[in-house]
């Protein structure tokens, strides 16, 4: 099963979102009207025929509007989930196609949750991949920033994972690793954005700064696709292995468990959005007395486009190229097989993402040291060199054309 189809959500924002059906003699079409943004812009209206909707989901963070009962039916029959987000990016609710009745899977899930050894094994694998992805992200950042101290401390804390005897021990290791991971992220985010951490005593991350707000949005989208995968496979979303399902737990614990291997997608996308200035302070604003940020609609859509591109970047796995939403589904299916004892292995570490920077410290240094004569010798013109030097001096993320990269490489070898 390869991920041939791109992830392509339809984002609906603002006031007065409408989702209904238009019933004709020949067919029943879905009609979707976007919300108003307060700037006087006429909202878009989209009409979709059954089985021909190009979007794999609807993401709604509008402030008002409605969805008709017939639209629920239409979306369910066409297997299009609806994810409803709060203004701060957190997932409020999801409307999913009917869940298959798979009693054997659920019974096995409940039994595994009561089995200390099996519960430990699954929780261990979840945290193992979370630590590995944290290392991957820090290695990616280290090509541009000096974060060696934080990386070293993260690695030291991670050494305790193989010695964790209980699920609680595993959680303690996870928390300590996360502390150094977020300190590394904090060290590279400009002070303008006031990012402190995701780790706070009150656990109320909300949207107290623009960076956290975008992380919330990214995690909300990832959570939506995890919920869809759990729904397709027939697992119980409230019964997890790493995260407890208690009266005080605000999230469905299996959903939270299965988000962990994929949170890096949100971390990388958010970091790139702020590095490249695709998002800046002008895109955010305060409302009311809750001291939380909101994001302008167009800026949010730019960010969701970046997130969509990251999801669709694909990864080689089992001889095919997979999209990351397909990987989420596949890993959920693998968990179900493990719970049913149809597989003795459970591994979330593969496929391994490839994270590459186009603006490493070495590249910046090489550009700034390149003389006009050397540049001319490898076919880099004066105007191109000026453009490259300007980018290399800035603190923004930048990309170079492949041919230019090759010429820069030639200049090193000569």
């Amino acid at each position: 099963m390869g991920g041939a189809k791109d992830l392509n959500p339809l984002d609906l924002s603002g006031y007065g979102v409408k989702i209904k059906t238009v019933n004709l003699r020949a067919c029943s079409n879905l009609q979707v009207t976007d919300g108003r943004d307060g700037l006087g812009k006429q909202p878009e209206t989209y009409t979709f025929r059954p089985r021909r909707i190009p979007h794999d989901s609807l993401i709604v963070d509008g402030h008002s509007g409605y969805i008709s009962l017939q639209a629920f039916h239409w979306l369910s029959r066409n297997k299009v989930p609806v994810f409803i987000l709060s203004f701060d990016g957190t997932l409020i609710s999801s409307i999913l196609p009917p869940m298959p009745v798979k009693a054997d899977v659920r019974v096995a899930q409940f039994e595994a949750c009561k089995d200390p050894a099996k519960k430990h094994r699954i929780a261990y694998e979840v945290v193992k991949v979370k630590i590995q992805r944290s290392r991957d992200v820090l290695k990616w950042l280290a090509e541009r920033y000096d974060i060696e101290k934080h990386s070293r401390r993260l690695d030291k804390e991670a050494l305790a994972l193989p010695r964790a005897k209980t699920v609680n021990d595993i959680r303690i290791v996870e928390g300590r690793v996360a502390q150094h991971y977020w300190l590394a992220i904090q060290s590279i985010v400009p002070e303008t954005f006031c990012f402190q951490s995701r780790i706070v005593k009150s656990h109320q991350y909300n949207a107290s700064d623009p960076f956290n707000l975008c992380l919330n949005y990214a995690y909300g989208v990832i959570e939506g696709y995890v919920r869809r995968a759990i729904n397709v496979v027939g697992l119980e979303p409230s019964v997890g292995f790493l995260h407890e399902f208690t009266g005080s737990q605000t999230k469905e614990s299996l959903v939270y468990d299965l988000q962990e291997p994929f949170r890096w997608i949100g971390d990388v996308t958010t970091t790139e959005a702020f590095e490249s200035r695709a998002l800046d302070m002008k895109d955010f604003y305060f409302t009311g007395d809750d001291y939380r940020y909101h994001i302008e609609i167009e800026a949010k859509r730019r960010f969701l486009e970046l997130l969509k591109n990251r999801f669709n970047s694909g990864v080689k796995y089992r001889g095919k190229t997979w999209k990351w939403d397909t990987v989420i589904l596949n890993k959920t299916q693998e968990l179900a097989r493990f719970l049913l004892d149809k597989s003795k292995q459970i591994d979330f570490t593969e496929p391994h993402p490839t994270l590459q920077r186009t603006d490493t410290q070495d590249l910046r240094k090489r550009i700034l040291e390149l003389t006009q004569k050397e540049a001319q010798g490898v076919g880099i013109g004066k105007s191109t060199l000026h453009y490259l030097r300007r980018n290399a001096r800035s603190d923004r993320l930048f990309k170079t054309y492949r041919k230019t990269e090759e010429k820069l490489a030639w200049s090193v070898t000569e």
Side-chain angles (χ1 to χ4, degrees):
M1 179 184 65
K5 187 176 179 180
D6 283 355
L7 180 144
N8 186 31
L10 175 62
D11 175 66
L12 304 169
S13 299
Y15 295 87
V17 171
K18 300 182 182 68
I19 305 173
K20 63 180 183 178
T21 58
V22 178
N23 297 312
L24 307 173
R25 182 179 179 87
C27 65
S28 176
N29 293 338
L30 184 74
Q31 188 176 89
V32 179
T33 301
D34 203 357
R36 297 182 180 275
D37 59 9
L39 301 176
K41 184 179 177 182
Q42 189 67 21
E44 293 280 351
T45 295
Y46 311 90
T47 302
F48 305 110
R49 292 177 62 84
R51 295 180 293 281
R52 297 183 185 179
I53 181 169
H55 302 284
D56 65 328
S57 63
L58 304 183
I59 297 177
V60 183
D61 65 352
H63 305 286
S64 68
Y66 70 84
I67 177 169
S68 71
L69 293 177
Q70 189 63 32
F72 280 130
H73 182 269
W74 195 100
L75 290 162
S76 178
R77 289 295 298 271
N78 286 271
K79 298 181 179 179
V80 179
V82 180
F83 304 128
I84 303 172
L85 275 63
S86 171
F87 75 88
D88 64 0
T90 55
L91 187 65
I92 298 174
S93 182
S94 57
I95 303 165
L96 301 168
M99 175 181 285
V101 179
K102 295 184 179 179
D104 58 338
V105 173
R106 290 201 170 194
V107 169
Q109 181 182 0
F110 297 147
E111 290 177 346
C113 197
K114 294 178 181 178
D115 181 340
K118 207 158 192 175
K119 184 176 182 180
H120 181 278
R121 172 72 184 281
I122 296 169
Y124 178 90
E125 293 297 331
V126 169
V127 173
K128 183 176 80 171
V129 69
K130 184 176 181 180
I131 291 173
Q132 182 56 55
R133 294 297 170 263
S134 297
R135 284 172 166 152
D136 293 340
V137 174
L138 294 194
K139 183 178 179 182
W140 173 73
L141 289 174
E143 295 179 10
R144 174 73 177 86
Y145 305 98
D146 181 10
I147 56 169
E148 182 182 355
K149 176 182 68 176
H150 302 297
S151 296
R152 189 170 60 249
R153 289 176 178 174
L154 184 151
D155 288 340
K156 184 178 179 181
E157 295 293 351
L159 292 174
L161 183 62
R163 301 194 298 270
K165 295 182 179 180
T166 67
V167 173
N168 191 56
D169 292 340
I170 293 173
R171 293 192 197 106
I172 291 171
V173 175
E174 178 199 19
R176 290 175 175 171
V177 167
Q179 181 180 13
H180 295 292
Y181 175 75
W182 288 114
L183 284 172
I185 301 290
Q186 178 187 341
S187 72
I188 67 99
V189 177
E191 292 183 5
T192 307
F193 301 109
C194 304
F195 177 70
Q196 294 297 315
S197 181
R198 293 290 289 183
I199 309 298
V200 293
K201 290 182 180 180
S202 67
H203 297 286
Q204 299 300 313
Y205 312 133
N206 292 320
S208 57
D209 62 81
F211 199 87
N212 262 316
L213 171 58
C214 289
L215 288 174
N216 287 347
Y217 265 107
Y219 295 162
V221 173
I222 294 167
E223 180 179 345
Y225 285 100
V226 169
R227 282 176 179 265
R228 185 176 71 171
I230 289 172
N231 184 73
V232 168
V233 174
L235 290 163
E236 169 53 51
S238 67
V239 179
F241 302 92
L242 175 65
H243 299 90
E244 294 286 2
F245 53 102
T246 65
S248 61
Q249 177 65 47
T250 58
K251 286 184 177 287
E252 294 179 304
S253 50
L254 184 64
V255 176
Y256 213 38
D257 285 358
L258 292 177
Q259 276 183 267
E260 301 294 3
F262 306 101
R263 285 181 179 272
W264 66 270
I265 297 174
D267 301 346
V268 170
T269 303
T270 301
T271 301
E272 286 187 323
F274 283 88
E275 281 185 327
S276 64
R277 299 299 194 273
L279 297 178
D280 216 329
M281 282 302 298
K282 68 180 184 302
D283 297 316
F284 303 89
Y285 62 95
F286 274 122
T287 295
D289 58 357
D290 58 2
Y291 303 103
R292 292 187 288 179
Y293 276 95
H294 295 235
I295 184 171
E296 298 285 359
I297 290 175
E298 289 305 315
K300 185 207 66 178
R301 287 180 174 163
R302 290 199 303 272
F303 178 69
L304 289 179
E305 186 67 21
L306 293 174
L307 185 64
K308 184 178 77 172
N309 291 341
R310 176 60 63 178
F311 260 98
N312 291 333
S313 61
V315 62
K316 292 291 184 180
Y317 187 44
R318 296 178 178 173
K320 298 179 180 180
T321 299
W322 297 51
K323 310 298 182 183
W324 284 103
D325 59 319
T326 308
V327 175
I328 290 173
L329 175 59
N330 175 263
K331 291 302 168 180
T332 306
Q333 291 169 328
E334 287 182 8
L335 173 62
R337 288 196 291 271
F338 179 77
L339 294 172
L340 290 166
D341 291 323
K342 292 182 178 180
S343 173
K344 298 300 180 184
Q345 300 296 322
I346 180 72
D347 178 21
F348 295 106
T349 58
E350 293 295 336
H352 195 286
T354 300
L355 297 177
Q356 294 179 327
R357 295 196 69 95
T358 59
D359 63 340
T360 66
Q361 288 285 33
D362 288 343
L363 178 62
R364 288 171 183 264
K365 184 181 179 200
R366 180 58 196 152
I367 290 172
L368 293 175
E369 291 178 347
L370 191 66
T371 66
Q372 182 66 54
K373 184 177 180 180
E374 289 172 331
Q376 187 177 2
V378 294
I380 296 176
K382 187 175 181 180
S383 61
T384 301
L385 181 60
H386 172 75
Y387 174 77
L388 290 171
R389 285 174 175 170
R390 186 184 66 186
N391 285 339
R393 292 190 187 100
S394 77
D395 61 350
R396 298 187 181 190
L397 179 149
F398 68 89
K399 296 182 180 180
T400 56
Y401 293 109
R402 180 174 295 180
K403 288 184 178 180
T404 303
E405 289 180 2
E406 292 173 352
K407 291 175 181 178
L408 288 168
W410 294 337
S411 71
V412 172
T413 58
E414 287 186 351

